[in-house]
Amino acid sequence: MKHLFGMAELERPQIERLLALAESFVELSRRPLRKAPTLRGKTIINLFFENSTRTRTSFEIAGKRLSADVINISAATSATKKGESLLDTGQTLAAMQPHVLVIRHGIAGCCQFLADYLPQTAIVNAGDGAHEHPTQVLTDLLTLRQHLGGVAGKTITMVGDIAHSRVARSHLIAANTMGYRLRLVAPKTLLPREVERYGCEVTHDFDAALAGSDVLYMLRVQQERLTSNFAFPSVREYHEAYGLNRRRLAMAGSDCVVLHPGPMNRGVEIATDVADGSQSRILDQVENGVAVRMAVLTTLCGGGD
Ligand code: ASP
């Protein structure tokens, strides 16, 4: 593995290997001394042009936990504010000889674009526009491995803003690779047309999609990517039609697992008592996010066997 651009380039055995390695890092992360020398002498730059709490912090902790030198740069404090292009920023940082560049950017495909110009640097996509977010999906797969014993043959019902979600797009690809079913629930305005090509079930009726769901995966409405204000009439109506509340969770059953990639908008796509309830694995996703990023960084730096 030279780069990680998306789930599209990962085969099932590679995913299984990353998850197994991540599991060992979950264990390391619970020890009193949370440190290993695996990436000593390696330099990792986290370059974030979009806001982030979980992804950015977990990449930073992941690198530090493995003894790498980690540098964080955000758009607000970088020379892009002075008009520098993404390519110039990338080439400038690559000239300082980092081993890995972790990038979050609003433009889909920007990681592949930069990789063509930076042959010495491994690039990780930490979310590129509405395109892909592979480390989030690996995090979800690890969480479901822990709580359901794996995803093969399971049904994940994903609800909300599918159209603008890079998490949804990465899951659409991973579902085929890993053999799980994705059931998509969204208002027409938040559903991309190309979704049919993935062959998944699509509905606008959340209640009808609950039975048989092993996982309810709630998505935030990506206000920052909406081109119109009219994707749905009001927050109250959205919550009525597409919000996960106790009544709906009870219809899905007591074994159903609740996931959300964060950040949550409580009272919009998810009710507070469900987000904090016993079927929610949302904070497990966060914990696993560190371990998965440790596994990705280790693998990109040539370790992991
Ligand atoms: N954190 C996820 C992402 O960056 C989901 C979200 O922002 O709603 O795509």
Side-chain angles (χ1 to χ4, degrees):
M1 201 164 108
K2 165 113 175 64
H3 304 288
L4 179 59
F5 299 139
M7 295 309 290
E9 79 252 13
L10 290 181
E11 312 263 350
R12 192 171 180 153
Q14 279 175 298
I15 295 175
E16 299 287 5
R17 262 202 307 278
L18 282 167
L19 297 181
L21 184 58
E23 241 161 22
S24 72
F25 287 135
V26 172
E27 194 264 315
L28 172 80
S29 297
R30 289 179 180 171
R31 288 189 205 156
L33 201 65
R34 301 169 175 85
K35 198 86 169 173
T38 318
L39 298 183
R40 193 183 290 148
K42 305 286 183 189
T43 303
I44 297 164
I45 299 182
N46 295 322
L47 178 58
F48 276 62
F49 292 94
E50 282 192 341
N51 297 341
S52 174
T53 300
R54 278 148 288 270
T55 306
R56 185 180 148 157
T57 312
S58 58
F59 266 112
E60 182 175 354
I61 293 177
K64 287 182 171 165
R65 215 160 259 179
L66 295 172
S67 310
D69 297 312
V70 183
I71 290 90
N72 294 307
I73 304 175
S74 76
T77 54
S78 78
T80 48
K81 282 275 177 220
K82 298 180 181 175
E84 188 173 64
S85 70
L86 173 64
L87 181 55
D88 280 333
T89 304
Q91 285 179 321
T92 300
L93 294 174
M96 299 180 201
Q97 309 295 335
H99 295 85
V100 184
L101 198 51
V102 177
I103 303 174
R104 168 168 289 192
H105 198 285
I107 293 180
C110 68
C111 296
Q112 279 105 321
F113 163 76
L114 271 185
D116 289 342
Y117 294 90
L118 316 179
Q120 310 298 338
T121 314
I123 294 184
V124 182
N125 179 4
D128 59 337
H131 178 226
E132 277 229 43
H133 194 354
T135 56
Q136 177 64 52
V137 170
L138 292 168
T139 295
D140 302 337
L141 296 180
L142 178 59
T143 307
L144 295 175
R145 190 172 159 133
Q146 293 162 343
H147 293 287
L148 299 177
V151 284
K154 303 288 184 202
T155 298
I156 300 183
T157 298
M158 191 168 261
V159 190
D161 186 357
I162 312 287
H164 304 99
S165 172
R166 50 197 174 206
V167 176
R169 196 152 284 99
S170 289
H171 265 292
L172 282 164
I173 297 161
N176 275 329
T177 316
M178 300 303 285
Y180 57 97
R181 258 185 308 278
L182 263 191
R183 193 178 278 170
L184 304 179
V185 183
K188 276 203 181 82
T189 46
L190 295 179
L191 205 58
R193 243 185 251 135
E194 90 248 17
V195 120
E196 274 140 35
R197 126 167 101 83
Y198 291 96
C200 43
E201 249 177 84
V202 178
T203 173
H204 309 301
D205 182 351
F206 192 5
D207 284 355
L210 291 164
S213 297
D214 298 292
V215 180
L216 290 174
Y217 197 113
M218 307 310 297
L219 293 173
R220 179 179 68 90
V221 177
Q222 310 266 304
Q223 293 292 356
E224 70 276 28
R225 290 184 227 288
L226 285 183
T227 47
S228 109
N229 292 324
F230 304 108
F232 49 85
S234 72
V235 167
R236 192 181 54 77
E237 278 159 297
Y238 182 84
H239 185 67
E240 278 296 307
Y242 297 103
L244 180 58
N245 52 25
R246 274 224 300 253
R247 176 185 70 81
R248 288 195 165 118
L249 186 55
M251 282 167 72
S254 56
D255 293 332
C256 181
V257 168
V258 176
L259 298 185
H260 192 306
M264 284 187 279
N265 284 328
R266 291 169 183 259
V268 185
E269 71 273 12
I270 191 163
T272 280
D273 50 3
V274 173
D276 300 333
S278 60
Q279 288 170 254
S280 167
R281 300 284 170 254
I282 296 169
L283 290 179
D284 294 339
Q285 287 173 280
V286 177
E287 179 181 6
N288 288 330
V290 175
V292 155
R293 284 153 187 135
M294 289 167 85
V296 167
L297 293 173
T298 299
T299 305
L300 285 174
C301 289
D305 294 333

